[in-house]
Amino acid sequence: GSADFNGAQAVCSLYEPAGRAVCSWVKKAIAPAYEDRVRNVGPELMSSADPKKGGKKQKGGIPAGNFSLLPKPIIEKTTLPVSTTLGELSSTLASPLSAVVTSGAIRRDPRLYCMLCRLIKTLVPEGGVDESTYTFLRTFLVPCMSLFPSNPSISTELWSILAKLPYQIRYGFYGSSRLAGLEKGAIRTSPRAKALPIIEAEVNTGIDVRYTLKRLSKENIKDMGRQLSKISHSNPIVVFTTILNQIESYDNLIQMMVDTFIHVTELSLDVLGYCLLVALGGGDSKGGRSKLKEDGVNAAQWLSSLEDFAGAFYKKFPNVEMQGLLSYLVRRLEQGEILELGVFRTLLKTAGSYGFADCESTAGLSETQLDGRAGSQQLKRETSDFGIVEKFNRKASIKLRSVLQDHDVGVVILILLSQIRTRIIYEIGNSTPKHIKLIGSRYDSCQMVLSVLIDFLTDTTEDQNASSGSISCYASALPELSELHQSFSVEPSIAWMLCRPLIRAAMFEQEEEEAVPPNLEPYL
């Protein structure tokens, strides 16, 4: 039946058996729903043994079988029916789980945490959760992971739930933990939002990660990389925030650190994507940092290091969420800011494998190399770096193009860049006049990214079906020529530049005497 858990937090903190008793009550409460919804693999793998023949027993005299993987059915009356909903689960278990989390008692029962994750996974709908469920996940499941050090299974179970939610909700969970303070900073916040056992776990993680980073070198990178990955299983936000702070100052760590991340869990990689977004300025705590050097022209060292890290990271791990980072860049472009444009440029060059199309590296090409620029993609790759073709991740390139095509993000960036390009020169603000070198640098950067992005979005090398290929997606998303000029205030020369790949594709279709697709007909 129901139970009163008023004052249970203090009792669980002072008396260890009380914490175990509350955990046991929770397991008994969810047992019927768990056994009905979660596949019970224990009896399928190992049959229960007769206690008279040597079978093990659990405390309380319930036979457990020789190698039972899951607990036996609990016959006692429970407060949760088999047909329980996620709302009923969160409201019923809010008080007891608050007691065992705040006191840290749940760290002694990782099986309970796994049972809850598996049950909640079957109840969470695809795409989002209501307010009560969001609060339940934010205050219990996500913070609790810190109490189970070096346990990748706990991280995997939690990720099975979070993977069903959109990145906005997941980043909200990570952000609530970060805004409450990390390590000792959580104690100084008023009112204190984190339980003391969680703060203790974060402090221990911070000590371990800094100890490991101090001893990191090229010779022991494999061993130390595994150690860092092991530390990150329970407190990924603490670990990756510390690592990114190191990378901002020492850019020679970038490739070494990216190579070590092959050992971390999927949840840790997702958290790293969030930490990168926060470090770039997507969080309130880092928004005030200057993104220019003292000369007022060149990007700051920390920003240049994070740009290189973003490209190397998403090239190595293309399945990590990119939409959050791209949404932040789009919002900054809407505000007229292009200081973070170097991040997007690096993504195209490194993750998108389009470094050969960057004009910066081809400023002093010979006549033969310039002729090669008029050829195919492969010829451009070979002639841009004097015959040295850099290895590229085909999967990362396809993934980046797919993300840019979703919700027409790539075309939105093209239109914003076209508008900002003119504004950079003629805009007059109330602040101190900008240096002429800074204006020229921003204008050139904007033009380079615009050119590379057009080539990237209209690249048909990887297309398998013309009807759903790059040209078709680009044509469906791009407004017509007259609309670009009249509705979006794009200069005629840039509007023609945006439409030129579609005009070329429509002419090729017409020359081959094939039916021109409807989305290309306006360009004939």
Side-chain angles (χ1 to χ4, degrees):
S2 61
D4 185 8
F5 290 94
N6 293 329
Q9 173 186 336
V11 176
C12 293
S13 301
L14 298 173
Y15 188 55
E16 183 176 321
R20 290 199 298 265
V22 176
C23 292
S24 177
W25 184 91
V26 174
K27 282 195 286 190
K28 292 178 182 179
I30 67 173
Y34 179 84
E35 292 165 3
D36 180 69
R37 293 176 176 272
V38 181
R39 184 181 172 210
N40 196 341
V41 297
E44 297 178 13
L45 299 179
M46 297 293 177
S47 59
S48 300
D50 188 348
K52 296 181 180 179
K53 297 181 181 180
K56 295 182 180 179
K57 288 188 176 182
Q58 294 178 342
K59 292 182 180 180
I62 303 176
N66 284 329
F67 302 99
S68 180
L69 300 180
L70 297 175
K72 286 293 177 180
I74 301 172
I75 306 175
E76 293 140 357
K77 187 179 179 181
T78 181
T79 57
L80 291 176
V82 173
S83 59
T84 186
T85 63
L86 192 54
E88 294 173 352
L89 177 74
S90 58
S91 60
T92 303
L93 300 182
S95 296
L97 290 180
S98 176
V100 296
V101 171
T102 308
S103 64
I106 195 172
R107 73 176 72 182
R108 306 182 188 95
D109 198 345
R111 186 170 64 177
L112 169 60
Y113 186 88
C114 292
M115 289 177 64
L116 282 167
C117 286
R118 293 171 187 174
L119 177 58
I120 293 173
K121 177 186 175 183
T122 64
L123 299 173
V124 170
E126 293 282 352
V129 292
D130 55 26
E131 186 64 28
S132 61
T133 304
Y134 176 85
T135 304
F136 175 74
L137 296 175
R138 179 179 58 83
T139 56
F140 171 66
L141 276 187
V142 177
C144 266
M145 187 177 65
S146 302
L147 300 175
F148 304 98
S150 304
N151 193 336
S153 298
I154 295 293
S155 176
T156 303
E157 294 289 353
L158 178 58
W159 178 246
S160 67
I161 299 174
L162 299 183
K164 302 176 68 175
L165 303 175
Y167 79 90
Q168 295 93 335
I169 295 179
R170 299 200 306 269
Y171 284 9
F173 293 149
Y174 310 149
S176 63
S177 177
R178 185 185 64 85
L179 293 176
L182 297 178
E183 302 183 65
K184 295 180 181 178
I187 302 178
R188 293 189 288 268
T189 58
S190 180
R192 180 167 53 83
K194 286 186 179 179
L196 288 177
I198 295 177
I199 297 176
E200 179 188 7
E202 289 184 352
V203 170
N204 292 333
T205 299
I207 293 173
D208 291 341
V209 69
R210 282 186 284 272
Y211 177 87
T212 305
L213 286 174
K214 286 180 181 179
R215 283 148 185 81
L216 187 67
S217 65
K218 211 168 186 179
E219 290 73 24
N220 62 8
I221 183 63
K222 289 186 177 180
D223 295 333
M224 290 301 174
R226 290 187 176 91
Q227 185 65 26
L228 283 174
S229 300
K230 184 178 179 181
I231 298 171
S232 72
H233 292 330
S234 58
N235 277 298
I237 295 181
V238 175
V239 173
F240 295 129
T241 299
T242 306
I243 289 176
L244 289 177
N245 288 337
Q246 293 284 322
I247 287 175
E248 289 176 2
S249 302
Y250 308 102
D251 55 2
N252 58 340
L253 289 175
I254 292 176
Q255 195 56 51
M256 286 196 302
M257 296 310 306
V258 170
D259 292 338
T260 64
F261 294 154
I262 60 174
H263 305 292
V264 304
T265 61
E266 290 181 277
L267 175 59
S268 296
L269 291 175
D270 192 61
V271 172
L272 178 53
Y274 165 78
C275 292
L276 175 61
L277 176 59
V278 170
L280 286 170
D284 53 357
S285 63
K286 297 290 182 76
R289 292 197 293 178
S290 174
K291 296 179 180 178
L292 292 175
K293 291 182 178 179
E294 293 182 357
D295 59 8
V297 177
N298 299 309
Q301 170 64 34
W302 68 267
L303 182 57
S304 299
S305 298
L306 290 180
E307 290 174 2
D308 295 337
F309 175 79
F313 174 66
Y314 283 106
K315 179 181 179 181
K316 185 80 172 180
F317 305 100
N319 291 326
V320 178
E321 186 67 60
M322 275 189 227
Q323 291 184 0
L325 180 60
L326 292 176
S327 297
Y328 168 70
L329 296 176
V330 169
R331 188 167 67 251
R332 292 291 290 171
L333 289 175
E334 290 175 346
Q335 297 169 355
E337 299 291 338
I338 63 169
L339 290 177
E340 295 88 351
L341 194 59
V343 179
F344 186 62
R345 181 177 176 180
T346 307
L347 283 176
L348 291 174
K349 290 170 59 178
T350 309
S353 305
Y354 252 64
F356 66 91
D358 198 315
C359 299
E360 185 179 39
S361 60
T362 60
L365 293 181
S366 64
E367 185 176 351
T368 303
Q369 289 174 313
L370 288 174
D371 291 340
R373 301 282 295 178
S376 64
Q377 301 292 351
Q378 183 64 23
L379 186 59
K380 290 179 182 179
R381 291 182 191 275
E382 292 182 355
T383 56
S384 62
D385 291 320
F386 303 96
I388 301 174
V389 181
E390 182 184 359
K391 292 183 179 179
F392 64 94
N393 189 338
R394 178 174 174 269
K395 185 177 180 181
S397 178
I398 295 175
K399 178 65 176 179
L400 178 59
R401 186 177 292 106
S402 174
V403 173
L404 290 173
Q405 289 172 348
D406 288 343
H407 307 293
D408 304 333
V409 175
V411 172
V412 170
I413 294 177
L414 283 175
I415 294 176
L416 289 173
L417 288 175
S418 303
Q419 295 170 340
I420 292 175
R421 179 176 172 273
T422 305
R423 195 186 313 166
I424 291 173
I425 301 177
Y426 298 106
E427 185 176 28
I428 301 176
N430 297 326
S431 59
T432 306
K434 297 184 176 71
H435 195 284
I436 186 64
K437 190 174 180 181
L438 175 61
I439 296 176
S441 175
R442 290 186 178 183
Y443 186 90
D444 291 343
S445 177
C446 197
Q447 181 64 32
M448 289 178 189
V449 175
L450 189 67
S451 176
V452 174
L453 182 56
I454 292 175
D455 290 343
F456 184 74
L457 291 176
T458 57
D459 186 1
T460 59
T461 305
E462 305 293 342
D463 289 351
Q464 297 180 353
N465 187 358
S467 60
S468 60
S470 300
I471 289 293
S472 178
C473 293
Y474 184 71
S476 301
L478 187 71
E480 294 186 8
L481 182 62
S482 58
E483 188 178 357
L484 282 172
H485 180 60
Q486 297 172 3
S487 302
F488 296 96
S489 303
V490 177
E491 289 184 353
S493 60
I494 298 298
W496 278 104
M497 180 180 176
L498 297 178
C499 296
R500 192 168 292 119
L502 302 180
I503 297 174
R504 186 186 305 116
M507 293 176 64
F508 284 160
E509 294 286 346
Q510 192 177 40
E511 288 177 0
E512 294 177 3
E513 298 182 356
E514 295 182 2
V516 179
N519 51 15
L520 292 180
E521 289 180 355
Y523 301 98
L524 287 176

